[in-house]
């Protein structure tokens, strides 16, 4: 990828994370620290890992988990998003997937479905029985996994920048209408752990070098790879192998957003998911969040979160 393309990709990743569409298991460890700082809270999982999470919006609001992309972190929520969520009566919860931000890492063999217990751990600790969940880009399959595994707790699920499973869709269809930079990126992911690490270390260095001191998402961008790129590598490679669950298991109402201008995860990904999720509705809009630049982020934020918080008919962004 060219430097210009990489920087554009970074702007899209961080910009969409700012919309907040950038996180279930047995007993949870008793230790929770940092409760005075809602943006950096910790718990210890049943298997002894430290998990870092954040809360945004109303403490008594309707709970919504927002799962960050790849890379990403719990901090990828813009002030405008928190304001919209608060106004709609929502309580937003984000967390660092293992190895991102301040959460302990897991091994490279971890599948998408293996992270669902972390969402349960956070929900249990916060006393949340039922919640909506959304994921953007690399976080989208994780949101689907939670909905599939916890039908009694997930009341609504949505995806932006939706990704279909490569092993079931087939490489030719999966890559149809993707741009050349994305094909190069995903080829490195599939090639090997080492090739992926080399690429991501370069991308991370370029993203950090491009950050302005006054960038409102500076902290979020620095936080996502504070432990290096291993989590990013593991995350992306897990998306291109079997996910460990079937999207056909999902029973909760689902909205899959598609943007016809998205050349990273083109609309055929969203269309595949809607075909295989019986409860899903496809919402197509050139203003839908994902990987394409959009004109009205305010409308997109409100459309996505109004449905997650209040239900009813989905609003077209």
């Amino acid at each position: 990828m060219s430097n210009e393309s990489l920087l554009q990709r970074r702007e899209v990743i961080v910009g969409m994370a700012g919309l907040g569409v950038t996180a279930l298991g047995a007993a949870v460890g008793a230790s929770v620290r940092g409760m005075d700082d809602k943006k950096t809270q910790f718990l210890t999982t049943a298997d002894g890992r430290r998990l870092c999470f954040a809360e945004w919006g109303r403490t008594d609001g309707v709970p919504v988990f927002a799962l960050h992309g790849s890379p990403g972190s719990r901090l990828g929520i813009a002030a405008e998003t928190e304001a919209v969520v608060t106004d709609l009566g929502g309580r937003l919860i984000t967390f660092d997937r293992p190895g991102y931000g301040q959460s302990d890492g897991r091994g490279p063999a971890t599948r998408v479905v293996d992270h669902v217990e972390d969402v349960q751990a956070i929900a249990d600790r916060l006393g949340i029985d039922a919640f909506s969940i959304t994921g953007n880009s690399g976080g989208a399959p994780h949101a689907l996994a939670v909905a599939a595994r916890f039908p009694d707790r997930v009341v609504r699920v949505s995806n932006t920048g939706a990704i279909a499973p490569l092993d079931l869709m087939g490489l030719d269809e999966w890559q149809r209408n993707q741009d050349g930079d994305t094909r190069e990126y995903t080829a490195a992911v599939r090639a090997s752990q080492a090739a992926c690490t080399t690429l991501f270390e370069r991308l991370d260095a370029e993203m950090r070098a491009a950050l302005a001191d006054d960038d409102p998402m500076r902290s979020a961008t620095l936080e996502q790879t504070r432990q290096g790129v291993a989590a990013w590598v593991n995350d992306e490679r897990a998306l291109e192998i079997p996910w460990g669950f079937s999207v056909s298991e999902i029973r909760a109402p689902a909205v899959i957003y598609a943007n016809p201008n998205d050349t990273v995860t083109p609309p055929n990904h969203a269309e595949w998911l809607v075909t295989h999720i019986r409860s899903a509705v496809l919402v197509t809009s050139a203003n839908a969040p994902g990987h394409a630049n959009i004109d009205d982020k305010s409308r997109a934020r409100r459309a996505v979160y109004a449905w997650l918080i209040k239900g009813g008919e989905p609003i077209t962004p």
Side-chain angles (χ1 to χ4, degrees):
M1 297 185 188
S2 67
N3 286 347
E4 182 179 3
S5 296
L6 295 176
L7 295 182
Q8 288 172 343
R9 179 180 176 86
R10 178 257 167 191
E11 291 302 326
V12 170
I13 289 172
V14 174
M16 294 305 103
L19 296 185
V21 287
T22 65
L24 279 158
V28 180
S31 110
V32 176
R33 296 177 284 119
M35 292 302 288
D36 57 326
D37 180 0
K38 293 293 185 181
K39 304 303 185 288
T40 304
Q41 303 181 54
F42 298 94
L43 63 77
T44 302
T45 64
D47 60 356
R49 289 178 293 111
R50 185 176 76 162
L51 195 62
C52 188
F53 63 99
E55 295 178 82
W56 316 74
R58 300 171 62 99
T59 57
D60 60 347
V62 177
V64 178
F65 277 82
L67 307 193
H68 65 72
S70 308
S73 79
R74 72 192 186 284
L75 299 180
I77 302 296
E80 295 85 352
T81 297
E82 184 170 23
V84 167
V85 169
T86 302
D87 181 59
L88 290 168
R91 176 188 188 186
L92 196 61
I93 303 110
T94 59
F95 80 106
D96 298 330
R97 281 197 296 280
Y100 287 114
Q102 299 187 48
S103 287
D104 290 342
R106 300 181 75 175
T110 305
R111 303 167 301 167
V112 169
V113 75
D114 294 332
H115 297 299
V116 300
E117 294 182 356
D118 288 345
V119 176
Q120 180 179 349
I122 297 168
D124 287 350
R125 180 60 185 82
L126 295 176
I128 297 171
D129 294 326
F131 51 86
S132 293
I133 190 163
T134 185
N136 179 60
S137 188
H142 293 275
L144 298 179
V146 175
R149 284 292 183 261
F150 298 93
D152 295 334
R153 301 187 76 165
V154 174
V155 295
R156 284 179 288 276
V157 57
S158 74
N159 273 187
T160 56
I163 301 173
L166 172 60
D167 63 310
L168 300 179
M169 197 176 191
L171 183 61
D172 288 344
E173 177 63 13
W174 197 81
Q175 289 188 326
R176 182 166 62 87
N177 297 324
Q178 283 184 342
D179 59 60
D181 289 337
T182 299
R183 290 188 177 211
E184 181 182 341
Y185 177 98
T186 57
V189 171
R190 292 192 303 278
S192 68
Q193 193 90 0
C196 191
T197 298
T198 298
L199 173 62
F200 288 3
E201 285 177 342
R202 177 166 65 85
L203 295 184
D204 185 51
E206 291 174 354
M207 285 191 283
R208 286 170 174 264
L211 277 175
D213 290 341
D214 60 351
D215 189 327
M217 301 306 293
R218 179 179 176 85
S219 295
T221 303
L222 295 175
E223 184 76 353
Q224 60 193 16
T225 54
R226 66 182 293 159
Q227 300 182 61
V229 301
W232 185 3
V233 172
N234 295 341
D235 223 19
E236 289 283 25
R237 285 176 63 80
L239 296 178
E240 300 198 16
I241 62 174
W243 293 350
F245 73 98
S246 172
V247 299
S248 65
E249 300 171 45
I250 296 171
R251 296 293 179 266
V255 173
I256 311 297
Y257 296 91
N259 190 316
N261 299 317
D262 192 334
T263 60
V264 176
T265 54
N268 60 315
H269 285 248
E271 292 161 3
W272 189 97
L273 290 171
V274 170
T275 298
H276 291 82
I277 301 172
R278 287 184 290 176
S279 60
V281 173
L282 179 67
V283 175
T284 302
S285 170
N287 199 57
H291 305 94
N293 291 319
I294 60 177
D295 293 330
D296 195 341
K297 291 184 179 181
S298 177
R299 177 175 172 82
R301 290 185 180 99
R302 188 162 290 274
V304 169
Y305 282 104
W307 182 77
L308 288 165
I309 293 167
K310 298 179 178 294
E313 290 296 319
I315 300 169
T316 300

